[in-house]
Amino acid sequence: MFELSLSEFSRETFLRDYWQKQPVVIRQGFKNFENPIDADEIAGLAGLSEVESRMVYRDGEQWQAEFGPFDDFQRFGEKGWSLVVQALDHWSEEAAEMIEPFRFIPNWRLDDLMVSFATPGGGVGPHIDLYDVFICQGSGKRNWRVGDIGNHVEFAAHDALLHVEPFQPIIDTELLPGDILYIPPGFPHDGVTLETSLSFSVGFRANSTATMVSGLADHLTDKELAPELLSDPQRVLSNNSGEISRADFQQIQNQLLQLVENEPLMRQFAGSFLSQAKHELDLQIADDAYNNEEISELLQANKLIRLGGLKAFYFSDSVDQGLFYINGEEHSLSTDIIAAVKLMCDNVTLPPEMINSFSENENFISFLGELLDAGYWYFAE
Ligand code: SIN
Ligand code: CO
């Protein structure tokens, strides 16, 4: 288990003073930190086509980026490169535990856990992220420079690498194992490895309005929702046929406002959209489907585990109606199993004592059966 120690500040103080506001170094945020995964395992993952990996290095002055899978690392030599593997939480249960201390930020804001294995001199270059990130230093040492938010000029150092022009650092420091650097979106940063190093980045994403609107449009089309036409039976005489009058413009705006003010529809959209996986899931489908009796027995003896990276949400305003959102789908469940499904959304691991009171509930067993068949939850061996 990873225990987060925010040293001089509490989680509340962190949220008030730093979250989305200021970068900060949290010295020994993880005391006695041990890598949850080693370099060989990371190299193994980078060899799989379903895992997103990237190698960044410099060829003379020219930055290079290559996408995995990789089967040979020898050609990169011993210095100056960085191997990045995305969505490590989807592929390693041990590494995924690093996210747990950050659960004071809700899961719908989480993007993924990324790992970077870097050799001396290696890094991805100076850049700006659209993410909030907690960079947790594992083994090795890395120097980090972070600049202030502002009008920084970005440029493509390579087709796959957006870099930023040199910046004045407001933080310039070495991270040692267990140290954490928090960086909000928009602050330029550059990490250069001093000693062969592993760093783990717990990243949180926020969508742009454009992304949300585009997702909403797809949702409305898929579900054949919001077909209402703008209607104007009260139309008054117009003298300028080229003009869109103030009243007409307000009606156009109102048509859209009515859509976004429709709370049930917006919850259905947001819940489905935000629970979609952004990276490939390593579905844990059992070789033989369980029957209800087996599920009931397993619930009483084994831990129930949510698949790494799977998103499962409910809204405080509609959970009492039994509405849940799991991996992009809305589920309308009977009210007697709300408490159980809430527990599954709130906890990655459920020991039997937390959930076995539902082991005889047929509605729950049947719903859990669907989730097990889909590979979304599984029982610990
Ligand atoms: C890295 O770990 O190499 C990059 C992490 C970051 O800058 O966000
Ligand atoms: Co970054």
Side-chain angles (χ1 to χ4, degrees):
M1 280 302 272
F2 295 93
E3 205 166 315
L4 180 64
S5 147
L6 295 177
S7 16
E8 71 269 27
F9 39 81
S10 64
R11 285 161 176 72
E12 286 83 1
T13 321
F14 170 79
L15 290 173
R16 191 192 65 205
D17 296 345
Y18 298 100
W19 172 253
Q20 293 252 305
K21 300 168 195 79
Q22 277 297 325
V24 62
V25 177
I26 305 164
R27 291 281 169 215
Q28 290 305 289
F30 287 123
K31 295 208 164 60
N32 309 314
F33 184 87
E34 280 179 33
N35 294 326
I37 186 166
D38 63 29
D40 285 343
E41 290 170 284
I42 292 168
L45 285 173
L48 303 175
S49 56
E50 56 274 39
V51 176
E52 286 169 52
S53 60
R54 205 161 56 123
M55 183 65 117
V56 179
Y57 57 100
R58 243 187 299 196
D59 201 353
E61 283 303 295
Q62 176 58 46
W63 283 90
Q64 299 288 354
E66 288 179 32
F67 291 89
F70 300 98
D71 53 12
D72 166 29
F73 294 95
Q74 303 250 316
R75 68 187 171 97
F76 298 109
E78 292 185 354
K79 280 199 292 215
W81 54 266
S82 176
L83 170 70
V84 175
V85 173
Q86 292 294 150
L88 184 64
D89 50 322
H90 294 215
W91 304 97
S92 161
E93 219 178 274
E94 292 77 22
E97 282 189 24
M98 284 195 63
I99 295 174
E100 293 310 299
F102 300 98
R103 292 292 183 200
F104 64 97
I105 298 153
N107 204 23
W108 75 267
R109 287 286 268 109
L110 180 73
D111 186 53
D112 72 340
L113 171 70
M114 186 190 96
V115 63
S116 136
F117 173 78
T119 53
V124 300
H127 66 281
I128 294 180
D129 288 318
L130 300 173
Y131 296 76
D132 292 89
V133 66
F134 294 91
I135 299 172
C136 311
Q137 183 64 39
S139 55
K141 248 199 251 177
R142 223 163 153 172
N143 186 265
W144 283 95
R145 293 168 66 256
V146 184
D148 210 346
I149 198 160
N151 293 324
H152 296 282
V153 179
E154 294 179 281
F155 64 96
H158 176 273
D159 284 351
L161 284 178
L162 190 60
H163 277 181
V164 65
E165 293 284 357
F167 56 84
Q168 197 60 34
I170 52 172
I171 290 177
D172 188 346
T173 193
E174 275 178 28
L175 287 199
L176 300 176
D179 289 343
I180 300 174
L181 169 62
Y182 164 72
I183 310 175
F187 288 76
H189 53 279
D190 188 16
V192 179
T193 302
L194 304 172
E195 278 173 9
T196 297
S197 141
L198 279 184
S199 10
F200 299 88
S201 301
V202 181
F204 290 84
R205 73 155 183 262
N207 290 306
S208 69
T209 311
T211 302
M212 289 303 281
V213 171
S214 146
L216 176 60
D218 290 344
H219 182 80
L220 298 179
T221 311
D222 287 354
K223 304 276 178 207
E224 298 183 7
L225 295 169
E228 308 80 21
L229 304 178
L230 178 141
S231 82
D232 51 1
Q234 315 297 343
R235 178 154 295 290
V236 294
L237 194 67
S238 165
N239 294 322
N240 304 311
S241 78
E243 178 189 67
I244 300 172
S245 68
R246 170 111 208 113
D248 279 355
F249 173 63
Q250 278 175 346
Q251 233 191 344
I252 296 165
Q253 254 192 323
N254 280 339
Q255 183 184 25
L256 295 174
L257 280 176
Q258 270 171 22
L259 174 75
V260 294
E261 282 171 358
N262 180 338
E263 284 199 25
L265 183 145
M266 286 305 285
R267 272 197 288 267
Q268 185 195 62
F269 153 64
S272 310
F273 182 70
L274 296 170
S275 65
Q276 285 166 13
K278 289 281 173 298
H279 306 275
E280 180 120 1
L281 292 169
D282 184 21
L283 297 173
Q284 298 292 312
I285 301 175
D287 293 339
D288 296 307
Y290 300 117
N291 63 36
N292 287 1
E293 210 172 309
E294 286 167 328
I295 296 176
S296 179
E297 277 169 22
L298 283 162
L299 266 183
Q300 293 173 55
N302 295 49
K303 281 184 185 163
L304 180 62
I305 302 181
R306 188 170 76 215
L307 180 70
L310 187 98
K311 304 271 190 164
F313 306 132
Y314 56 88
F315 289 92
S316 54
D317 285 339
S318 64
V319 67
D320 293 346
Q321 299 157 34
L323 292 175
F324 288 90
Y325 303 85
I326 299 174
N327 199 31
E329 293 293 329
E330 183 183 65
H331 296 267
S332 178
L333 304 176
S334 63
T335 49
D336 60 324
I337 68 170
I338 291 173
V341 185
K342 258 174 115 168
L343 283 171
M344 294 169 70
C345 294
D346 286 335
N347 300 278
V348 172
T349 302
L350 282 174
E353 60 275 19
M354 276 178 84
I355 191 94
N356 63 10
S357 58
F358 289 89
S359 63
E360 304 294 327
N361 181 315
E362 281 180 24
N363 290 332
F364 181 62
I365 298 296
S366 124
F367 181 58
L368 180 56
E370 284 173 34
L371 300 173
L372 293 167
D373 287 349
Y376 293 169
W377 268 264
Y378 56 96
F379 286 107
E381 294 293 316

